[in-house]
Amino acid sequence: MSLPALFKDRLRLPVVAAPMFLTSGPELVIECCKAGIVGTFPALNQRSSEGFEGWLIEIKTALAEHAEATGSEPAPFGVNLIVHKSNPRLQADLALCVKHQVPLIITSLGAVAELIDTVHGYGGVVFHDVVNARHAAKAAQAGADGLIAVAAGAGGHAGTTSPFALVNEIRQFFDKTVLLAGALSTGRDIAAAQMMGADLAYLGTRFINTQESLVVDEYRQMIEQTSSADIFYTPNISGVYANFLRPSIVAAGLDPEQLEPKQTIDFGEELTVDADKDQGDKAQGAWKTVWSAGQGVGSITDSPKAAELVDRLEAEYRQASADYAERMSR
């Protein structure tokens, strides 16, 4: 297993709970880290840089208190930064990550060597989302410490490449940390990701259905009632190909087959808020009512607390490992 020193002896399971737009918040991050897996959130889930710093302080304080109370270090936490020219907050949010020495930075939609060097300057680690080997090679050249292979079936912005092909192609030139994303929902899936050559499993959709996520109950219920056949892959929601729950598109009064094309990505538009509305109503764009999920929804039938879910994943992971060892001994 190839892991940065920051992760060694601090993980109960080789898992990162992925940062999910409008879903991952401080409570989920804190509970994941306390349970022994990496908790993460997108900086843009807080609607201002000032609010983002408040979340960083909240997370750091809670994890420090946990370490003092238990005598052991929790898993590190991470922040997702959108490295796209339309994100007006990138530099301000990066500066706050430097100020608070966020252990892990996850970059999306752009691998920039200068940003990676900045994070390395305070001892942080950078993982980068990739959907194909070409993007992976660029991120490796920029100095990324890890590559997140976002394979077919992943929730949110995802690619179409088989996880087998994507991990194998990345491993031909990259010997650092590889994470696998795409329809991973169980402890057996985590074990399978490692068998395929990944160091860490990257679980998103499974953590939407936890009690600590920021989503409304109707979102959780829809995930429990759907299967992989209900996942719709389109660029016409955010401007980048992504997977969404088809029933949520229909419930929003849209025809999945007749969506108006969206040609550009504009994170400045996504951050526009109506100051007269409650914080819960400030999330702009289609992501508020058209809900993202991956093809792993068919494996999800409940919404436990994050700590309970990690307990379950660990039991499944250990059972899968024991089953494999038994097969190999025959």
Side-chain angles (χ1 to χ4, degrees):
M1 181 181 294
S2 175
L3 292 177
L6 172 70
F7 287 74
K8 292 180 179 176
D9 301 321
R10 294 179 65 183
L11 297 184
R12 177 180 170 193
L13 279 174
V15 169
V16 173
M20 295 173 286
F21 190 47
L22 305 182
T23 297
S24 308
E27 187 178 6
L28 180 57
V29 170
I30 291 165
E31 292 307 311
C32 284
C33 293
K34 287 166 60 176
I37 66 170
V38 180
T40 67
F41 73 99
L44 297 184
N45 274 5
Q46 246 298 341
R47 312 311 288 179
S48 69
S49 291
E50 292 77 14
F52 170 54
E53 183 172 26
W55 278 12
L56 291 178
I57 294 170
E58 179 182 351
I59 292 167
K60 289 176 62 180
T61 300
L63 295 182
E65 291 174 349
H66 175 78
E68 183 176 358
T70 62
S72 61
E73 287 290 326
F77 77 96
V79 167
N80 175 223
L81 296 178
I82 302 297
V83 188
H84 188 271
K85 61 183 180 181
S86 71
N87 177 9
R89 276 182 36 195
L90 175 59
Q91 293 306 317
D93 290 349
L94 174 60
L96 290 171
C97 290
V98 173
K99 176 182 177 180
H100 292 280
Q101 298 193 352
V102 174
L104 170 65
I105 301 297
I106 297 171
T107 53
S108 303
L109 301 178
V112 178
E114 291 79 8
L115 183 152
I116 294 172
D117 290 342
T118 297
V119 176
H120 286 170
Y122 67 81
V125 171
V126 178
F127 292 166
H128 184 68
D129 285 343
V130 299
V131 298
N132 56 48
R134 181 173 63 86
H135 291 164
K138 288 183 177 181
Q141 186 175 13
D145 302 289
L147 299 177
I148 304 165
V150 186
H157 297 140
T160 58
T161 305
S162 159
F164 294 95
L166 188 53
V167 171
N168 286 339
E169 289 182 12
I170 290 172
R171 277 300 186 203
Q172 291 177 24
F173 59 84
F174 192 73
D175 61 1
K176 298 180 183 179
T177 306
V178 172
L179 303 87
L180 179 60
L184 307 180
S185 298
T186 69
R188 190 170 294 273
D189 297 337
I190 298 167
Q194 287 190 307
M195 288 296 296
M196 290 170 55
D199 300 294
L200 297 168
Y202 199 72
L203 278 66
T205 303
R206 176 60 271 199
F207 282 89
I208 296 174
N209 276 46
T210 56
Q211 293 182 25
E212 295 87 352
S213 80
L214 299 175
V215 304
V216 295
D217 287 340
E218 290 80 5
Y219 193 166
R220 297 186 183 92
Q221 292 164 5
M222 186 174 289
I223 286 177
E224 293 174 17
Q225 295 166 0
T226 51
S227 69
S228 58
D230 296 300
I231 302 301
F232 188 69
Y233 187 64
T234 178
N236 295 331
I237 301 296
S238 68
V240 176
Y241 273 100
N243 280 313
F244 296 90
L245 287 161
R246 182 186 290 267
S248 74
I249 299 174
V250 175
L254 302 171
D255 181 347
E257 308 300 334
Q258 300 294 328
L259 293 173
E260 183 177 346
K262 184 171 182 178
Q263 303 297 337
T264 60
I265 314 168
D266 188 346
F267 285 94
E269 179 185 353
E270 290 290 339
L271 288 168
T272 301
V273 300
D274 182 347
D276 294 327
K277 293 186 179 182
D278 294 334
Q279 179 66 36
D281 290 331
K282 290 181 180 179
Q284 300 299 303
W287 294 83
K288 184 186 175 187
T289 54
V290 177
W291 297 327
S292 178
Q295 292 178 3
V297 291
S299 302
I300 301 171
T301 59
D302 63 354
S303 299
K305 291 183 178 180
E308 295 171 355
L309 176 58
V310 175
D311 286 344
R312 183 190 309 171
L313 292 172
E314 181 184 28
E316 294 169 346
Y317 174 78
R318 294 191 180 282
Q319 185 61 56
S321 300
D323 291 346
Y324 178 74
E326 182 181 353
R327 291 191 191 97
M328 292 300 292
S329 67
R330 292 174 184 170

